[in-house]
Amino acid sequence: MQQTLVPEAGVGTKEPSRRPQVVTAVAGFVIGAGVIGMLWALSGVNAGALEDAQDACQALTRVGTIPDTTDSAPSERTVPVLAPEILHRMTAARELSAAAAAASDTYKPLAEHIDGVSRMVFSLHFNQISGQRHLAQAEQLCTQL
């Protein structure tokens, strides 16, 4: 009778190591998860900031015509009475532009100009040259969105 000799497990046979495959798979997973996470985080912030900036511009537009009394004589200046909804829209424009600026530095100039307009409107000093300049700059930035 012939006997076949079979080597025992681990003796004389060497299986190739799986370590390089495992390391490659783990590294690929980590890199892929990092890229996906970064893209997800960046896409959410910018999209929300743009929408907030656009909504701020719409609220500013809905405020309506803001009086300009910079050229009138002090005796001719009358303080207009603003309806509560105008003040609410101005507040909304200011807050939405601040939210956009907090999410993305791109919208900081818009937030600064809308804040300047809101200070002029809330103080009812429509003769402020700086406030009127802020209004013109804010409207210009809004057309670029």
Side-chain angles (χ1 to χ4, degrees):
M1 228 169 56
Q2 248 185 357
Q3 284 188 339
T4 330
L5 296 175
V6 178
E8 293 181 25
V11 176
T13 60
K14 201 171 193 185
E15 291 185 26
S17 175
R18 291 187 185 179
R19 178 174 278 163
Q21 293 173 342
V22 171
V23 169
T24 303
V26 169
F29 177 77
V30 169
I31 291 170
V35 169
I36 295 294
M38 184 175 60
L39 290 174
W40 175 69
L42 291 175
S43 69
V45 168
N46 290 336
L50 175 61
E51 290 172 356
D52 286 343
Q54 289 171 338
D55 290 345
C57 289
Q58 288 176 355
L60 182 62
T61 300
R62 292 187 64 208
V63 166
T65 303
I66 296 175
D68 183 358
T69 59
T70 54
D71 293 336
S72 59
S75 61
E76 297 174 3
R77 291 184 192 146
T78 59
V79 178
V81 176
L82 298 178
E85 61 270 10
I86 291 175
L87 298 176
H88 291 301
R89 289 180 184 131
M90 190 71 243
T91 302
R94 186 185 66 209
E95 293 302 317
L96 285 165
S97 67
S104 175
D105 289 341
T106 305
Y107 304 107
K108 280 192 178 188
L110 177 65
E112 290 170 3
H113 291 301
I114 289 180
D115 183 55
V117 173
S118 72
R119 283 179 293 178
M120 178 183 66
V121 168
F122 295 141
S123 68
L124 299 176
H125 291 122
F126 299 109
N127 60 342
Q128 290 180 347
I129 294 172
S130 64
Q132 295 295 335
R133 193 175 315 128
H134 282 301
L135 178 59
Q137 290 293 321
E139 289 171 343
Q140 181 182 7
L141 289 171
C142 284
T143 61
Q144 296 171 1
L145 292 180

